[in-house]
Amino acid sequence: MVVGAGVGGLAAAARLAADGHEVVVLEQADAVGGKLGTEVVDGFVFDTGPSLVTMPWVLEELFAATGAPLADVLELRRLAVACRYTFPDGTVLDLPGDLADVPAALDAALGPGRGAQWTAFLGRARAVWDVTRGPFLESPISARGMLRLSRRLGDVATVAPWRSLRGLGARYLEDPRLRLLLDRYATYTGSDPRAAPAALATVPWAEQAWGSWYVPGGLGRIAEVLRARVEELGGEVRTGARVVEVLVADGRAAGVRLADGTTLDADVVVANADAAEVYGHLLPGRRAARARRSIARATPSLAGFVLLLALDDPPADQPHHQVLFAEDYDEEFDAVFGRRGPARPVERPTVYVSAPDDPAVVPGPETGAWFVLVNAPRHDPDGSRGAGVDWDAPGLAEAYADRLLDLMAERGLDVRDRVRHRTVLTPADLERRTSTPGGSIYGTSSNGARAAFLRPANRSPVPGLYLVGGSAHPGGGLPLVMLSARIVADLVRRDDASGQPR
Ligand SMILES: Cc1cc2nc3c(=O)[nH]c(=O)nc-3n(C[C@H](O)[C@H](O)[C@H](O)COP(=O)(O)OP(=O)(O)OC[C@H]3O[C@@H](n4cnc5c(N)ncnc54)[C@H](O)[C@@H]3O)c2cc1C
């Protein structure tokens, strides 16, 4: 039984079905995909969540392990320009999608020597990746176990758990624009670069080593083909089925109760719902008390404010992805995480724009389906969740959307006269659509030295109950979520084979 048909739930379901389990996936929403959502308006097809695929081998491996290869069911297209960055001083950098071309591009856009600085940094990042990939990203190891592992002398110096991502960057990157570039990668885990660990250096490494990819027709296609894979393997996917309780009998998970009161029995329950939901609401009582306390001690990851823009006659020659950097990135993180004042919508945030050049996502020529995203504080309607904002406050979302369009124009990307229609998605909307508390994109953040210890493990305290997805180990983002599904399937297999109570 899998609770939730996000990428994590579907990937786990496919693997478990391929292992011969009878699998039922229960999804509270009317569609599968979770945060990997799709919105279709008048022939414009928008991805509402992810717009970038990294580490494509994770997806390929998932399909290879469960049946026909990925190439048979889905096209992945590599982007020649990974992203265009516009820095506060006006410098524009088209970051190549091929790592071999990156140093020359940095030298050309930012000045001689910048390529060498970044290459030296990536050398360190790669070393961290090599040390952490197997034992951390691909294993059910707890963060505590990770610490034991990294105590081996060479490893600990490489991973530098005492250093922040920004601190590590400062050792290699003299150019402030390169430091900004690095800072942004902390947001891939919903974190603040000043507080996130140096180990997040693996994020730019993984992105640049394996490239930036797009799915023609939109990334939502990934959810479609995952669902199809589950069903081909005999699994059942039920939408509109909200789980309200994980049932426990004789000390182990025994099934679930749905909102309509129905109960369903199961030997294994894999929860893809946010870990805070699982331990806060689905699993009542003392069993989850410790897990609840850990989550409460961690800083929740940041949320996002999204604009879906249906454009007529969009500006020509736009890259697929672009980032218009904030003039003051620290103020952005202060606002989002509620430092130096209460959490607040960022006055002048970094703006990310995804403008796919793909006829399959627009109704005709001279139109564009653009996705605009800025970092945002979580939704906190009544101030009870710590640092957050009431995104449902009357007028706030629309006024903020207007402000973002003005800001884009100020930074050279004026589409205000071209908007045929727009959809605004706040952290409150993400919470409503996916039952994600506060709309935090990645569960708990990586902020703080203790963060890794506080992230929920894949094996829950209740035998037979496992956690999969971005709020559990090893973390958020599509590739990591799919890795968590592999870890869970391995755990179930191992627990089966050992004859131990799961
Ligand atoms: C705006 C945005 C941009 C992003 N950009 C990128 C990107 O470019 N690249 C990238 O790799 N990642 C990106 N991400 C992150 C990525 O989308 C997530 O890490 C990933 O999709 C999470 O998958 P999941 O399976 O862990 O969780 P979810 O997608 O949240 O799935 C959980 C599912 O469980 C269901 N559920 C919850 N509670 C219950 C219940 N009680 N009963 C039944 N069902 C329940 C939910 O409805 C949901 O479908 C982005 C996310 C957002 C929101």
Side-chain angles (χ1 to χ4, degrees), residues 348-363:
R348 297 179 62 80
T350 299
V351 180
Y352 165 77
V353 179
S354 180
D357 179 14
D358 178 1
V361 300
V362 287

Side-chain angles (χ1 to χ4, degrees), residues 52 72 74 80 116 144 154 187 213 216-217 275-276 305 322 351 360 379 383 411 498 500:
L52 168 68
D72 286 6
L74 193 74
R144 228 171 275 281
T187 66
W213 299 76
F305 184 96
Q322 62 184 306
V351 180
H379 177 51
R411 293 181 183 156
S498 71
Q500 299 285 327

